[in-house]
């Protein structure tokens, strides 16, 4: 079962599973669950779950992925998902609901004020959110005398298995009591994973290319880059597909890989999204074609690499391969897509490495610049005065913080946004990091983003 069947899951876990079945056989097909709306279910179910995956290298190629058995969505979602999880044929519950989707994690457990969590706490036997479905599904498996399934977090979060584990156990304790929480803690595995594949939102061009490449119309076609990476901890007590046959790597500890990806890829992505969007760049490849911005991308990756433990990876070669991937002109990855949900992304991508850099007395500039660029973006209007939606689950708090400012200045904007609870760590909200960020915000507000970018590279 996969909760959250967005384009990323279809370009990643479903493609790996399809590859694993092709090589090693076994019915490891996935029952998908759409937690937000019925569109994906409507387009996929009429195609028996099949869809076209376009890989955009120098020339695009298309393959048909057939690992989705069907998609659950709509009114009876809760009942159908719980039936499926509490059936012996379910061996893994995997999940991609993006950073904001869990009702987590800020507190090291589940956030009971998250709307999906709060609703499921009132009605834990008919849940509709991810944590509620997993907890009740596991309760039913235990009641049916079944072995627990593995719960596999495939979202871009540090130590994602441990985070999801803490959130599920916390939710189970609140909703069902400590006996279920303790049983989950003792018996269910939550392997951590590092997932990577750049997957822009599908467009009409995706569907037109799918038709041209395959000869079939496919409303569920998606597109992605040729590269993909999946590093997984091998704790699957009830078995798993032979994902290694499709290129996945199994390791005892994913944490160093996750940190590397989050800080080098996702951190520089966030930097280039805010600086790029505010300097008029629509796509990531446009950013990379700009000499000043691409220099800042490199600078960011190098600073992020300096905060990492040594892994069995060549970080300089990793940075070079990231720059090549970002430069792929065939991938129309919008800067505004990456700019979404900044409050959910910056803590692990930017603030955690910045804090470590601060402790070591290292160069804070790349992290301060990214923070300043996000703060400028949070104002909701570009240098030409045009406004845009922030698309952030904490948008209301951002706007309220900014509305409380009487005179807009770099220091007041910084203080207002730094005061959003559980966001910028205290040690970064004052002292050297605060000064470095306010200085950059001053330049961005005073000169405009394009000139501030040029000044930053001097
Ligand atoms: C991006 C990621 O939108 C974003 O925040 O940084 O979705 C990125 O494309 C993926 O993590 C690549 O694996």
């Amino acid at each position: 079962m996969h909760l959250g069947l967005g384009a990323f899951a279809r370009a990643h876990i479903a493609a790996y599973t399809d590859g694993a079945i092709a090589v090693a056989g076994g019915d490891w097909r996935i029952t998908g669950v759409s937690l937000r709306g019925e569109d994906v279910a409507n387009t996929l179910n009429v195609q028996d779950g099949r869809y076209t995956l376009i890989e955009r290298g120098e020339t695009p190629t298309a393959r048909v992925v057939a690992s989705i058995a069907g998609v659950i969505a709509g009114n009876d979602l809760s009942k159908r998902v719980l039936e499926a999880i509490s059936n012996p044929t379910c061996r893994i519950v995997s999940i991609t609901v993006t950073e904001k989707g869990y009702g987590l994690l800020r507190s090291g457990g589940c956030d009971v004020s998250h709307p999906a969590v709060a609703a499921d706490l009132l009605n834990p036997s008919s849940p509709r959110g991810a944590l509620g479905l997993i907890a009740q599904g596991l309760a039913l498996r235990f009641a049916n005398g079944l072995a627990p399934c593995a719960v596999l977090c495939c979202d871009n979060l540090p130590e994602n298995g441990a985070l999801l584990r803490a959130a599920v156990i916390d939710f189970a304790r609140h909703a069902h009591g400590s006996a279920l929480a303790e049983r989950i803690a003792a018996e269910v595995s939550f392997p951590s994973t590092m997932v990577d594949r750049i997957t822009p939102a599908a467009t009409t061009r995706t569907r037109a290319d799918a038709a041209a490449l395959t000869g079939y119309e496919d409303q569920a076609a998606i597109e992605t880059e040729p590269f993909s990476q999946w590093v997984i901890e091998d704790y699957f007590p009830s078995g798993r597909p032979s994902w290694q046959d499709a290129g996945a790597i199994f390791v005892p500890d994913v944490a160093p890989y996750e940190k590397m990806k989050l800080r080098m890829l996702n951190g520089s992505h966030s930097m280039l999204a805010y600086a790029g969007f505010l300097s008029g760049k629509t796509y990531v490849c446009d950013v990379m074609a700009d000499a000043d911005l691409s220099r800042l991308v490199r600078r960011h990756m190098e600073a992020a690499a300096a905060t990492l433990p040594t892994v069995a990876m060549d970080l300089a070669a990793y940075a070079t391969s990231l720059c090549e991937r970002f430069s792929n002109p065939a991938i129309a990855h919008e800067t505004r897509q990456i700019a979404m949900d900044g409050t959910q992304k910056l803590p692990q991508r930017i603030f955690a490495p910045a804090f470590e850099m601060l402790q070591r007395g290292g160069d804070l500039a790349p992290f301060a610049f990214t923070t300043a660029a996000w703060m400028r973006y949070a104002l909701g209007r570009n240098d030409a005065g045009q406004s845009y939606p922030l698309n952030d689950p904490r948008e209301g708090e951002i706007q309220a913080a900014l509305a409380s400012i009487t005179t807009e200045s770099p220091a007041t904007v910084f203080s207002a946004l730094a005061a959003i609870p559980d966001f910028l760590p205290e040690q970064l909200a004052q002292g050297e990091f605060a000064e470095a960020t306010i200085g950059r915000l001053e330049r961005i507000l005073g000169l405009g983003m394009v000139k501030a970018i040029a000044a930053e590279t001097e």
Side-chain angles (χ1 to χ4, degrees):
M1 162 139 306
H2 186 85
L3 303 175
L5 199 65
F8 176 72
R10 285 183 278 146
H12 199 264
I13 187 172
Y16 277 91
T17 305
D18 190 64
I21 296 171
V23 175
D27 185 1
W28 283 105
R29 283 175 305 156
I30 300 164
T31 298
V33 183
S34 270
L35 297 167
R36 298 185 313 180
E38 296 179 43
D39 292 354
V40 173
N42 290 342
T43 47
L44 279 175
N45 284 336
V46 293
Q47 304 181 167
D48 289 333
R50 291 184 171 78
Y51 60 94
T52 313
L53 179 62
I54 297 178
E55 292 181 3
R56 292 204 187 275
E58 256 168 53
T59 46
T61 58
R63 66 188 257 210
V64 173
V65 175
S67 58
I68 307 283
V71 187
I72 298 174
N75 287 339
D76 57 353
L77 177 148
S78 184
K79 186 170 156 278
R80 293 176 61 205
V81 171
L82 295 174
E83 268 165 21
I85 299 186
S86 57
N87 188 297
T89 58
C90 177
R91 292 166 189 274
I92 299 166
V93 177
S94 53
I95 171 166
T96 47
V97 290
T98 81
E99 294 88 344
K100 66 170 174 268
Y102 292 86
L104 33 161
L105 294 171
R106 278 187 269 152
S107 55
C110 77
D111 171 4
V112 293
S113 67
H114 187 283
V117 173
D120 285 354
L121 284 174
L122 290 174
N123 203 354
S125 56
S126 315
R128 294 188 63 86
L131 297 182
L133 289 165
I134 295 172
Q136 175 69 356
L138 291 169
L140 293 172
R141 280 185 84 88
F142 291 137
N144 290 350
L146 298 174
C149 45
V151 180
L152 182 64
C153 180
C154 299
D155 275 307
N156 251 324
L157 292 157
E159 303 187 36
N160 56 5
L163 283 176
L164 180 58
R165 179 177 187 273
V168 169
I169 291 173
D170 197 25
F171 179 90
R173 184 173 299 112
H174 279 99
H176 302 270
S178 55
L180 178 65
E182 277 159 27
R183 189 139 183 219
I184 293 173
E187 295 180 29
V188 180
S189 75
F190 290 84
S192 277
T193 62
M194 182 267 249
V195 295
D196 188 8
R197 195 164 212 189
I198 292 171
T199 308
T203 62
T204 46
R205 181 175 156 232
T206 318
R207 294 182 277 278
D209 286 357
L213 288 164
T214 65
Y216 292 97
E217 272 187 24
D218 179 359
Q219 293 308 314
I222 55 167
E223 63 175 79
T224 188
E225 62 174 337
F227 178 90
S228 83
Q229 191 173 26
W230 198 11
V231 188
I232 317 170
E233 291 170 355
D234 203 358
Y235 306 122
F236 293 86
S238 300
R240 59 163 174 81
S242 66
W243 284 316
Q244 69 279 9
D245 288 326
I249 301 166
F250 285 90
V251 299
D253 179 15
V254 157
Y257 296 88
E258 277 182 317
K259 238 185 198 178
M260 173 186 81
K261 193 241 166 179
L262 270 169
R263 294 183 180 188
M264 290 181 69
L265 188 160
N266 297 115
S268 61
H269 243 182
S270 288
M271 185 283 289
L272 72 83
Y274 300 115
F277 179 81
L278 289 172
S279 57
K281 309 289 182 209
T282 305
Y283 299 112
V284 175
C285 58
D286 303 336
V287 167
M288 298 306 287
D290 180 288
D292 286 338
L293 275 168
S294 71
R295 227 174 294 149
L296 289 186
V297 170
R298 269 282 181 183
R299 177 183 81 157
H300 194 98
M301 287 177 188
E302 279 161 25
T307 70
L308 295 172
T310 20
V311 278
M313 290 275 283
D314 176 345
L315 297 179
Y318 184 64
T320 299
S321 76
L322 293 179
C323 288
E324 281 164 15
R325 291 169 60 198
F326 290 1
S327 304
N328 181 348
I331 292 280
H333 198 193
E334 292 195 69
T335 49
R336 63 167 185 184
Q337 183 182 339
I338 304 167
M340 292 171 51
D341 300 341
T343 57
Q344 314 295 298
K345 293 175 176 172
L346 293 196
Q348 59 276 17
R349 296 179 179 196
I350 304 297
F351 303 154
F355 178 60
E356 288 171 26
M357 207 52 141
L358 176 70
Q359 284 180 314
R360 285 209 238 149
D363 182 16
L364 297 173
F367 306 109
F369 176 71
T370 308
T371 308
W374 174 79
M375 289 185 164
R376 174 65 189 81
Y377 176 85
L379 297 179
R381 54 175 157 77
N382 62 18
D383 287 324
Q386 291 154 333
S387 55
Y388 46 81
L390 290 188
N391 285 328
D392 191 295
R394 305 189 76 185
E395 199 169 318
E397 287 173 81
I398 293 171
Q399 280 156 355
L402 292 170
S404 70
I405 297 175
T406 42
T407 322
E408 188 178 292
S409 75
T412 55
V413 170
F414 179 88
S415 310
L417 294 172
I420 293 175
D422 299 317
F423 180 51
L424 187 68
E426 220 178 285
Q427 299 87 337
L428 302 181
Q430 56 196 343
E432 201 187 327
F433 187 80
E435 278 160 35
T437 305
I438 293 169
R440 287 178 167 81
L441 195 51
E442 186 163 9
R443 213 150 57 184
I444 297 171
L445 286 165
L447 302 174
M449 189 49 106
V450 173
K451 287 193 180 142
I453 289 166
E456 192 66 32
T457 59
E458 273 161 15

